[in-house]
Amino acid sequence: MSALSARTARPWPRSVKSRTGPRWSPRLRRRLAADAALLLIAAAFLLPLAWLVLASIDNDATLRVSAPGSPTMDNFSAVWTDEITFTPMLNSLLLCGGATVLTVACAALAAYPLSRFRSRVVRPYLLTVLFTTCLPITAIMVPVYGLFVQVDLIDTMSGTALFLAASQLPFAIWLMKNFMDGVPVILEEAAWTDGASWLQSLTRVILPLMGPGITVVMIYSFIMMWGNFFVPFMLLLSPEQLPASVSIFTFFGNYGQVVYGQLAAFSILYSTPVLLLYILISRRLGGGFALGGAVKG
């Protein structure tokens, strides 16, 4: 009888055995470790943002993150003037906007032959262009400053915008070329059959189809120029021509004295145009290339 019961006895289900104690699988532990690392990274980014928001409404703001005793908008009222905010913001928009348009136009013209014509020198040329982005801007500012003095471009918005566009052009060419590779060549061949030139096929066929790619290049270039401090600080001398990225330096006084509340308020206003630009055109970033049905038949 005992032998028969031993044969017919069934093993405990795995679900029942697992209830006796917690079992952490390696996959679950790796996932928990990754989540903890992401939370630490998020906290590292959220802490400065929390200080920025809290300090902007605190008259007695310091470097410590603390809730204001009596929230006030006096810091925004102090910086909401033509001299501190409006004129530098307008200078930044003119400087970065003009440089961004020039960068996108030159990048499109440079990326077209690199994307459409096959040659042995294309890859070495692209690697050379990419290598120029590794050069520190501080290493070339001294000869650039001397060149601008000789050609009478120092203290001019046009000269500064030209140099900003040139500094962002190498990486913009790489991005534009990768997006342009996604447009089928057959569409250009159809345009050539109808008598279009290469410039007409570029402006009327390729560029309209790679709208998201142009948007990415434009946003990247604008953001990098918007936060550039060193180039306008070196090439612009007149106070009335300084952009907001340089005028923010005026909040740092002598002997280590800093008006932290006004600095935080100005920083929020300074970051607003970039956020609005991204929100307005964020819908086009996820749309992809509009090639549906373009190559049928």
Side-chain angles (χ1 to χ4, degrees), residues 20 27 67 74 78 86 95 104 127 157 159 163 165-166 169-170 173 206 267 271 277 279 296:
T20 59
R27 182 178 180 181
D74 292 341
F86 294 113
L95 184 65
V104 172
L127 293 177
M157 296 285 287
F163 181 74
L169 190 58
I173 293 175
I206 299 178
S267 299
S271 59
L277 175 66
I279 292 173
K296 285 186 178 181

Side-chain angles (χ1 to χ4, degrees), residues 140-159:
I140 61 176
M141 278 309 299
V142 173
V144 167
Y145 184 86
L147 176 64
F148 272 48
V149 171
Q150 293 181 0
V151 297
D152 199 19
L153 286 178
I154 199 70
D155 197 23
T156 59
M157 296 285 287
S158 59

Side-chain angles (χ1 to χ4, degrees), residues 198-221:
W198 69 268
L199 184 59
Q200 291 175 337
S201 63
L202 174 63
T203 56
R204 298 183 181 181
V205 178
I206 299 178
L207 295 182
L209 292 176
M210 52 181 295
I214 297 176
T215 304
V216 169
V217 176
M218 182 181 66
I219 291 179
Y220 175 81
S221 302

Side-chain angles (χ1 to χ4, degrees), residues 15-271:
S15 60
V16 177
K17 287 184 178 181
S18 62
R19 295 175 183 175
T20 59
R23 297 181 61 183
W24 300 90
S25 63
R27 182 178 180 181
L28 181 59
R29 283 180 290 183
R30 289 194 298 266
R31 182 176 179 180
L32 292 176
D35 292 341
L38 291 176
L39 288 177
L40 290 177
I41 296 174
F45 281 94
L46 290 177
L47 189 62
L49 293 177
W51 175 88
L52 193 67
V53 175
L54 295 175
S56 63
I57 56 177
D58 188 3
N59 282 332
D60 301 325
T62 60
L63 287 177
R64 302 181 63 178
V65 179
S66 59
S70 56
T72 179
M73 301 296 291
D74 292 341
N75 294 323
F76 288 95
S77 300
V79 301
W80 196 258
T81 61
D82 292 336
E83 183 180 358
I84 298 178
T85 300
F86 294 113
T87 300
M89 284 288 187
L90 180 60
N91 293 336
S92 295
L93 290 175
L94 294 176
L95 184 65
C96 300
T100 299
V101 172
L102 184 61
T103 300
V104 172
C106 294
L109 294 176
Y112 180 77
L114 296 174
S115 175
R116 290 299 185 255
F117 301 113
R118 298 293 179 260
S119 176
R120 295 181 179 180
V121 299
V122 171
R123 183 172 179 81
Y125 178 80
L126 287 174
L127 293 177
T128 304
V129 169
L130 187 62
F131 173 76
T132 58
T133 61
C134 302
L135 297 176
I137 197 69
T138 55
I140 61 176
M141 278 309 299
V142 173
V144 167
Y145 184 86
L147 176 64
F148 272 48
V149 171
Q150 293 181 0
V151 297
D152 199 19
L153 286 178
I154 199 70
D155 197 23
T156 59
M157 296 285 287
S158 59
T160 306
L162 182 63
F163 181 74
L164 285 175
S167 62
Q168 296 299 324
L169 190 58
F171 197 74
I173 293 175
W174 263 82
L175 289 178
M176 192 73 71
K177 189 259 182 188
N178 291 331
F179 285 114
M180 197 171 292
D181 290 341
V183 180
V185 184
I186 190 174
L187 300 178
E188 290 182 79
E189 294 176 349
W192 294 339
T193 304
D194 294 337
S197 62
W198 69 268
L199 184 59
Q200 291 175 337
S201 63
L202 174 63
T203 56
R204 298 183 181 181
V205 178
I206 299 178
L207 295 182
L209 292 176
M210 52 181 295
I214 297 176
T215 304
V216 169
V217 176
M218 182 181 66
I219 291 179
Y220 175 81
S221 302
F222 186 84
I223 290 176
M224 296 301 293
M225 297 174 190
W226 186 263
N228 195 312
F229 166 80
F230 191 67
V231 171
F233 180 75
M234 292 293 296
L235 300 181
L236 294 176
L237 307 178
S238 302
E240 64 273 6
Q241 291 186 350
L242 295 179
S245 60
V246 180
S247 64
I248 196 173
F249 186 70
T250 58
F251 291 98
F252 295 86
N254 297 326
Y255 307 105
Q257 297 177 356
V258 182
V259 187
Y260 292 107
Q262 296 181 14
L263 175 63
F266 182 81
S267 299
I268 292 177
L269 297 176
Y270 174 58
S271 59

